Amino acid sequence: MKRLIFEPEHDQLRQTARTFVEREVAPNAAKWEANRIVDRSAYRAAGRYGLIGFNIPEEFGGGGSDDFRFNAVIVEEIAKFGFLTPALSVHNDIVGPYFTSLGTLAQKERWLPGYASGELIGAIAMSEPGAGSDLAGIRTTAVRSGDDWILNGAKTFISAGINADLVIVVARTDPGAGRKGFSLLVVERGMTGFERGRKLDKMGQPAQDTAELHFTDVRVPAGNLLGEQNRGFYHLMANLPSERLSIAIAAVAGARETYRQTLQYAKERTAFGQSIGSFQHNRFVLAELDTELDIAEQYVDRCLRAVVDGELTAVDAAKAKWWCTELAKRVIDACLQLHGGYGYMNEYKVAKDFVDTRIQTIYGGTTEIMKDLIGRSLGL
């Protein structure tokens, strides 16, 4: 089914993203996975290709377009390849908007040029050992001391935690104010008391560095407060819908590519003298997957249009996020089954996809949290 959401300029960027994957990612993928981290040069290369910073104002070195369809094109093309999607998505779709929407002029002049070029890498630190989806459980604190904030606490499951030069840390700045007591502080590489812990050993996406971060009496200048003091919770809520839509986009695009390869395999692989795809059961499975992916893609495009029009709601994004990630999990599981024993072999992409996609129903808000958000919107 033809997708009407994209225009010629988006198709042009899509080709650029494909070239980036072919020339810069594919030749280095095995090395990055073995090292369990994407080399920083990949971000700089993405900057040269114009794949980061396009939504940063031109005066700060960016492309000057806030059209989220450009984000979607990049996410889709990289998701087709695999593991690098979280790295660039965190940079473009999750962290970047905080700097562009909340940063002061001085902060933008200081950070955005390097961010747009890929010289500076960003991360956001919300989750803690005792607080994941429940932000009310955050214990990291920041206390004002003269011209600084004194930051103490620990974070975990932080994407790009090892590579990051700028970490947006969610901290309590008014302990008795509940959700009205959080602020966002930008911690920079090299600040005294800021230490990176383990590079976490995950079951999938090994090249996406995910780390523990520790803050011990870190003096964060008052000028590194991002947004308004004690409004951090509301800043987070404003950015979460586009983050969740980005995850949904990646889920559908990645699953679609796994399906495409599986369909080809089903046509070529034979059993009992015929292609495995020609057996009625398998043909029905493939038909069902194709249908479900088409339907999910249409809803994603509807949400994408809503972003462009400034109308995407948190509820619509939650629907896209939970449905598309759960669908991707089911699609890839079915694709692995259709590969038989070969699907369990790591030399086949479907095996990697099976473990790499599993996290999508968890990060960015679990499926259960998404359903609860939707349920509450129904007055339940």
Side-chain angles (χ1 to χ4, degrees), residues 24 31 85 90 107 147 170 227 285 295 305 310 329 334 336:
E24 307 292 340
K31 178 183 70 174
T85 312
V90 167
Q107 289 172 338
D147 293 332
V170 183
V285 168
I295 292 171
R305 172 55 65 186
K329 193 168 67 175
L336 190 151

Side-chain angles (χ1 to χ4, degrees), residues 258 261-262 265-266 268-271 276 332-354:
T258 305
Q261 294 183 13
T262 301
Y265 179 86
E268 297 171 353
R269 175 71 172 169
T270 60
I276 63 170
I332 294 171
D333 182 71
C335 287
L336 190 151
Q337 187 72 20
L338 284 164
H339 277 76
Y342 288 106
Y344 205 66
M345 301 297 109
N346 283 325
E347 63 188 272
Y348 280 78
K349 184 175 180 292
V350 69
K352 261 186 53 48
D353 294 342
F354 183 76

